[in-house]
Amino acid sequence: MSALLNHERRRTRHPAQQRPPLLTPAQSRMLVRVGFRVPGLLIAILASLVLVTLVSANSELTGTLGAIAGMWFAVHQVPLSISGTALGVLPLLPTIVLIVVVARGVHRVSMEFSTRRELGSIFAAAVLGPLLVTAVALAVATDASAAIGLSSPNAFHAFAWVAGVHATAAAIGVVMGSWDSLGLAPRFPAWVGEVVRPTTRAAMVLIAGGAAISLAAMVASWSTMEMLLDAGNGFVGVLGLTVLSILYLPNVVLGTSAVSVGSAAHVGEASVSLFHTGAGPLPPLPVLAVLPEGSAQTTWFLMLVVPITAAVMLGRDCARRTVDVHYAMSSVWLGAAALGFLAAVGGFAAGGNLGTFGTVEITVWSFGLLTFAWLAVVGSLAAALTAWRGGSKHDESVSEKTVRESDQPVLTTRAQPAETQPAETQPAETQQSVDVEPVVLEERALDAEIIEVPEAIDVPTIAPEPDAAASAADDVVEAEVVDLAAQQTSDVEEPVEVKSTEDLPVKPAERSD
């Protein structure tokens, strides 16, 4: 017993199981590029713009870092406060360009991976990288608040806006790059995937219509724009006002689109709608010359052509992609709901506080609701009409195609001769050969193959047996005798009705002695 107690038991040590690393070195480098390539490029561009602006204005470079941080927040629609003046109306053009660039980069990377874990890592890297840059920008803005008039924005608003912008772009890129690899297509009905293209076209019509109306308003108020540009006092000032007007152009186009569907846009005390206009002080920005100077006109109702055209195109495209009118209606309503939601989000992003001028805003709820209503109602009518007309034309085309195919004749050629025996062993009856002209049998069939026999080849024939010829004559209703030699000189042959094989011209063969 003591021997057993004093016995040293050695436990066998199992080799340590090596777990595979969460990320390979190549994947780590890839995630770093996804997270920091676009933010780093954006910081470089902003730094260049700030330096050029400060040098051209003969200003000191003490607040360079604070200006870069402020422009980072402005690109991401983070409300700012400059010298105690709130600036919540920020240009949408840089934000739209940033979303497109991030979405394309994520889409290009996500096409190389197929698992959800890898795609989730790409999405997280695309969002976390800009958030880290935002944290640094908040610290820089706080430090530079003493040198320049820029106040550090609210941290929650800063992280929320940056995360929202990059998460939207990353989600678009991941979905576009992994739609097939993740098997998302079979999980949705076919008409859900087919509604993307018609919805995109309808959105393009709305944007193009708003841009066309804005351009027409600029041309009509060109004198006002020149007066506002002259207020720049020099080349640098005019260039700055021009660039600023271009950056705010998407905001103006969204406001014009809101007015075209029946909503309203407000710039402080000034307001514009199809039914009413209100006067008020405006900031000296040349692009704001699109606002009317007088009261609402009756001709403004022509702007309703924009949503009606977009709705008709949406309904027509949805109806052409499916033969079922119910699926077409569902596609129209789904596309209308998506565009109404995007209109509301765009209207919210285009507005904000503008210091002493008040609030610049688009009536968000009416913009989204009216966009949805126009597209859903008019689009449904257009889809129903297109499906009805398209269905009738489809049926007529099918019937015409069937009749046209049934009218095609079936051409038969001479029967190929069987292997013949030597002349001395063949019976006398089989040694007789009859030159029978080719018979063209016309029957009605859906599918036929036309076989043409070259004229240069003389195919020997064997006269059909009398019983077989009689049975064939009974089955044939109409036949056409075609002379291959005479067909070269005459294109039209009169059909000849053959009742029996006796009507066929038969040339007696010469008997061999």
Side-chain angles (χ1 to χ4, degrees), residues 147-214:
I148 59 177
L150 177 66
S151 300
S152 179
N154 185 285
F156 175 77
H157 291 167
F159 285 116
W161 275 105
V162 172
V165 170
H166 286 270
T168 302
I172 295 173
V174 169
V175 171
M176 292 178 60
S178 61
W179 181 265
D180 296 330
S181 61
L182 290 181
L184 298 177
R187 300 182 182 181
F188 297 94
W191 58 268
V192 175
E194 294 177 353
V195 77
V196 176
R197 190 179 298 273
T199 304
T200 304
R201 293 187 61 184
M204 293 176 64
V205 170
L206 290 175
I207 296 173
I213 296 173
S214 301

Side-chain angles (χ1 to χ4, degrees), residues 214-373:
S214 301
L215 181 61
M218 289 181 185
V219 173
S221 59
W222 187 255
S223 59
T224 305
M225 290 189 63
E226 289 183 344
M227 183 182 63
L228 294 174
L229 287 173
D230 292 338
N233 297 326
F235 175 77
V236 178
V238 172
L239 180 61
L241 289 176
T242 303
V243 172
L244 197 60
S245 298
I246 295 174
L247 295 178
Y248 276 101
L249 190 58
N251 303 60
V252 176
V253 171
L254 279 174
T256 308
S257 301
V259 174
S260 66
V261 299
S263 184
H266 304 270
V267 183
E269 297 179 0
S271 61
V272 182
S273 67
L274 290 177
F275 313 99
H276 175 73
T277 59
L282 298 175
L285 190 63
V287 73
L288 294 180
V290 299
L291 296 175
E293 297 179 359
S295 59
Q297 304 294 328
T298 307
T299 56
W300 289 7
F301 287 95
L302 293 177
M303 289 190 290
L304 295 176
V305 174
V306 175
I308 292 176
T309 304
V312 170
M313 291 187 63
L314 177 62
R316 185 187 62 180
D317 293 344
C318 291
R320 287 181 176 179
R321 292 177 178 272
T322 179
V323 296
D324 192 350
V325 67
H326 299 289
Y327 285 167
M329 294 287 187
S330 302
S331 301
V332 169
W333 282 73
L334 181 60
L339 289 182
F341 174 76
L342 292 178
V345 172
F348 174 75
N353 295 325
L354 192 57
T356 58
F357 291 97
T359 303
V360 178
E361 63 178 353
I362 298 173
T363 309
V364 175
W365 66 270
S366 62
F367 187 24
L369 185 61
L370 289 174
T371 302
F372 168 75

Side-chain angles (χ1 to χ4, degrees), residues 73-218:
F73 295 131
V75 170
H76 292 88
Q77 300 296 313
V78 180
L80 300 174
S81 178
I82 302 176
S83 300
T85 302
L87 180 61
V89 186
L90 298 169
L92 285 176
L93 184 59
T95 307
I96 295 173
V97 174
L98 177 63
I99 290 175
V100 172
V101 172
V102 173
R104 293 186 61 180
V106 173
H107 170 254
R108 185 167 51 253
V109 174
S110 61
M111 291 180 63
E112 303 176 359
F113 301 94
S114 59
T115 63
R116 295 184 178 180
R117 178 182 175 183
E118 295 171 343
L119 295 176
S121 301
I122 295 173
F123 178 82
V127 176
L128 292 178
L131 289 180
L132 293 178
V133 177
T134 303
V136 176
L138 286 172
V140 171
T142 303
D143 184 65
S145 59
I148 59 177
L150 177 66
S151 300
S152 179
N154 185 285
F156 175 77
H157 291 167
F159 285 116
W161 275 105
V162 172
V165 170
H166 286 270
T168 302
I172 295 173
V174 169
V175 171
M176 292 178 60
S178 61
W179 181 265
D180 296 330
S181 61
L182 290 181
L184 298 177
R187 300 182 182 181
F188 297 94
W191 58 268
V192 175
E194 294 177 353
V195 77
V196 176
R197 190 179 298 273
T199 304
T200 304
R201 293 187 61 184
M204 293 176 64
V205 170
L206 290 175
I207 296 173
I213 296 173
S214 301
L215 181 61
M218 289 181 185

Side-chain angles (χ1 to χ4, degrees), residues 20-54:
L22 295 177
L23 295 174
T24 61
Q27 291 178 346
S28 301
R29 290 191 297 268
M30 180 268 300
L31 293 180
V32 170
R33 288 196 305 268
V34 170
F36 294 98
R37 182 173 57 184
V38 175
L41 180 62
L42 179 59
I43 291 296
I45 294 174
L46 295 179
S48 302
L49 292 177
V50 169
L51 291 175
V52 170
T53 303
L54 294 178

